[in-house]
Amino acid sequence: AQTVTQSQPEMSVQEAETVTLSCTYDTSESNYYLFWYKQPPSRQMILVIRQEAYKQQNATENRFSVNFQKAAKSFSLKISDSQLGDTAMYFCAFVRIQGAQKLVFGQGTRLTINP
Amino acid sequence: NAGVTQTPKFRILKIGQSMTLQCTQDMNHNYMYWYRQDPGMGLKLIYYSVGAGITDKGEVPNGYNVSRSTTEDFPLRLELAAPSQTSVYFCASRYQGLNQPQHFGDGTRLSIL
């Protein structure tokens, strides 16, 4: 079974700073996807960024980028020039390519951006 | 674009009562999922469906039932509500195929007292 671990329950940074959220996972699969989801106080689950395991290049989406280390089974999220609107819970998630592609989530990191 | 719609948004039940959480999507997605999110935790999969008439258990199915009679609808049934089922419930859907993300509804906050 796959597991996803986020070792930072809470983080806090000042606006405009850069912050990195950690995620590690355990799997015997060779092909899979990894995701970061954002959950603001409104409770919506918003897809931030995704990475395909067979791609060497790290994914980027505007101020959001990942550091994907397949051998180490590590998938960290970097938020550059952080904004107040980035305040949210962030969840790392894993999904196998085969089958119904059921998401396995980490426990989450509560990120607070301070003015 | 309605996307994934969940009703109700909030509900309080008494122990032993039953209810159905509704989920409908208008994107013609084959795959649908039900998750629960306990306080301070990530989401855990309850049930999922890969198409009309096909459902299967996820990680935490006990105490729940589902049906999928149409592509659009995927209701979640609680037969005998228990305090351990107090949680936020999310429905999600996605297209069949590789690299298709799941689209989530806004969640239903359920309290069992």
Side-chain angles (χ1 to χ4, degrees):
Chain A
Q2 291 78 26
T3 59
V4 177
T5 302
Q6 295 177 247
S7 59
Q8 305 152 312
E10 293 189 29
M11 296 189 73
S12 178
V13 298
Q14 296 298 119
E15 192 175 8
E17 289 183 344
T18 293
V19 60
T20 299
L21 309 183
S22 300
C23 173
T24 59
Y25 57 94
D26 187 24
T27 184
S28 59
E29 302 284 335
S30 58
N31 288 324
Y32 47 87
Y33 299 115
L34 295 162
F35 301 87
W36 279 97
Y37 279 89
K38 170 185 177 181
Q39 187 180 43
S42 65
R43 209 170 65 199
Q44 289 178 296
M45 292 292 289
I46 302 166
L47 178 63
V48 174
I49 198 166
R50 55 183 155 175
Q51 175 78 41
E52 298 163 26
Y54 55 87
K55 287 189 175 180
Q56 298 285 344
Q57 189 173 5
N58 288 325
T60 61
E61 288 285 344
N62 301 314
R63 297 182 295 108
F64 299 87
S65 61
V66 299
N67 183 4
F68 173 50
Q69 302 290 327
K70 190 173 184 179
K73 297 181 181 175
S74 171
F75 182 60
S76 60
L77 173 70
K78 186 171 83 170
I79 306 173
S80 303
D81 186 26
S82 58
Q83 301 174 359
L84 297 179
D86 296 333
T87 293
M89 284 288 289
Y90 286 82
F91 293 98
C92 178
F94 169 100
V95 67
R96 295 174 63 223
I97 287 182
Q98 281 77 29
Q101 299 200 12
K102 300 170 282 185
L103 284 166
V104 177
F105 285 86
Q107 308 93 314
T109 296
R110 183 176 302 280
L111 176 64
T112 302
I113 309 300
N114 298 307
Chain B
N1 277 348
V4 179
T5 302
Q6 291 184 236
T7 56
K9 294 191 183 303
F10 304 95
R11 184 73 184 268
I12 298 174
L13 284 182
K14 294 182 179 179
I15 295 172
Q17 286 185 321
S18 301
M19 79 162 294
T20 299
L21 281 65
Q22 301 292 344
C23 175
T24 187
Q25 51 90 11
D26 62 357
M27 298 173 282
N28 202 31
H29 287 171
N30 300 82
Y31 289 64
M32 296 188 75
Y33 309 82
W34 274 107
Y35 296 89
R36 60 177 286 173
Q37 183 182 25
D38 297 332
M41 302 294 290
L43 282 67
K44 293 187 177 180
L45 183 65
I46 305 171
Y47 271 95
Y48 66 98
S49 169
V50 301
I54 306 170
T55 63
D56 206 347
K57 295 178 180 179
E59 185 183 359
V60 289
N62 291 343
Y64 307 94
N65 280 299
V66 293
S67 60
R68 183 94 182 271
S69 57
T70 67
T71 299
E72 294 78 20
D73 300 307
F74 190 42
L76 178 71
R77 178 87 178 158
L78 283 72
E79 291 293 349
L80 291 171
S84 61
Q85 293 176 305
T86 294
S87 193
V88 179
Y89 292 83
F90 287 94
C91 179
S93 71
R94 59 178 286 272
Y95 281 120
Q96 184 177 0
L98 297 179
N99 201 17
Q100 296 297 321
Q102 292 187 21
H103 300 259
F104 285 83
D106 290 340
T108 294
R109 182 178 296 277
L110 181 62
S111 296
I112 315 295
L113 303 176

